[in-house]
């Protein structure tokens, strides 16, 4: 049986290595990111999730594969920003707008492409465990409050996420859609690299 999740992971492998050397990701991993920089990238992620989550949940072909309502990130990001910048969210950046437009266009052409987008945005949380110490130090946090988006993934999420990746192998008609899904994952990752490479003003 074809392992679609593995094929997506292999398609974005080199991009995954690239994003670690981007301006914001490097500063986050090395504990030197400032609160304004962190708040900026967190806000851009909010705009992305604000499109992804309701779009996914209202699509009858997608909502049953992974419950984004149960694992919504929107309230977590809002709570983090409330603590970090009193909820005063930075404006959406042109890079984020471009990624959102590309995502919307791909979805309108083929709703299964959102699987590739979800794989990148949600799957990236698996590596957040490595951010705990440097991120808390950089933001001067006593606990994970304020960085919950990255540092507070609920335990059931992991099981649900692995079930989702396994379920991809059983989605009717997915083999015919897979190249589009893989393209969407690569497109999303490239957009994320551009976003993390940005130096907030």
């Amino acid at each position: 049986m074809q392992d679609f999740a593995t094929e997506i992971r292999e398609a974005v492998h080199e991009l995954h290595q690239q994003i670690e050397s981007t301006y914001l990701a490097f500063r986050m991993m090395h504990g030197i990111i400032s609160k304004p920089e962190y708040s900026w990238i967190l806000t851009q992620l909010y705009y992305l999730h604000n499109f992804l989550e309701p779009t996914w949940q209202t699509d009858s072909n997608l909502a049953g594969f992974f419950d984004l309502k149960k694992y919504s990130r929107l309230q977590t990001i809002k709570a983090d920003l409330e603590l970090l910048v009193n909820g005063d969210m930075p404006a959406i950046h042109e890079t984020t707008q471009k990624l959102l437009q590309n995502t919307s266009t791909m979805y309108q052409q083929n709703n299964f492409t959102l699987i590739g987008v979800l794989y990148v945005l949600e799957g990236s949380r698996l590596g957040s465990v490595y951010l705990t110490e440097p991120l808390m130090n950089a933001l001067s946090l006593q606990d994970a409050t304020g960085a919950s988006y990255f540092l507070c993934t609920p335990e059931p999420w992991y099981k649900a996420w692995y079930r989702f990746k396994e379920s991809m192998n059983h989605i009717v008609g997915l083999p015919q859609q897979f190249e589009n899904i893989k393209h969407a994952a690569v497109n999303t990752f490239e957009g994320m690299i551009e976003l993390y490479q940005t130096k907030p003003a």
Side-chain angles (χ1 to χ4, degrees), residues 25-41:
F26 179 89
R27 290 175 66 78
M28 198 181 301
M29 289 186 295
H30 289 79
I32 56 176
I33 194 168
S34 67
K35 282 188 179 182
E37 288 173 331
Y38 181 75
S39 300
W40 183 87
I41 190 61

Side-chain angles (χ1 to χ4, degrees), residues 9 23 29 32 41 50 54 84 104 110 113 122-123 158 199:
R9 186 179 72 245
Y23 176 76
M29 289 186 295
I32 56 176
I41 190 61
N50 198 40
L84 295 172
S104 177
N110 184 335
T113 58
E122 279 291 287
Y158 293 95
K199 296 181 181 181

Side-chain angles (χ1 to χ4, degrees), residues 118-128 149-150 157 161 192:
L118 178 77
Y119 182 93
V120 172
L121 289 182
E122 279 291 287
S124 65
R125 296 176 62 80
L126 287 167
S128 64
Y149 174 82
F150 285 102
W157 177 88
W161 182 243
M192 294 295 287

Side-chain angles (χ1 to χ4, degrees), residues 67-119:
D67 190 353
L68 266 180
K69 185 176 182 180
K70 179 179 180 181
Y71 296 113
S72 174
R73 310 302 179 190
L74 296 175
Q75 294 305 314
T76 300
I77 297 176
K78 283 184 178 179
D80 285 346
L81 290 171
E82 189 66 40
L83 179 69
L84 295 172
V85 292
N86 295 319
D88 186 16
M89 294 170 58
I92 188 170
H93 191 265
E94 60 184 31
T95 302
T96 310
Q97 289 180 319
K98 183 173 72 171
L99 179 53
L100 282 172
Q101 182 58 55
N102 288 342
T103 302
S104 177
T105 299
M106 289 188 299
Y107 174 72
Q108 290 171 14
Q109 294 173 347
N110 184 335
N111 64 339
F112 279 99
T113 58
L114 219 57
I115 291 175
V117 178
L118 178 77
Y119 182 93

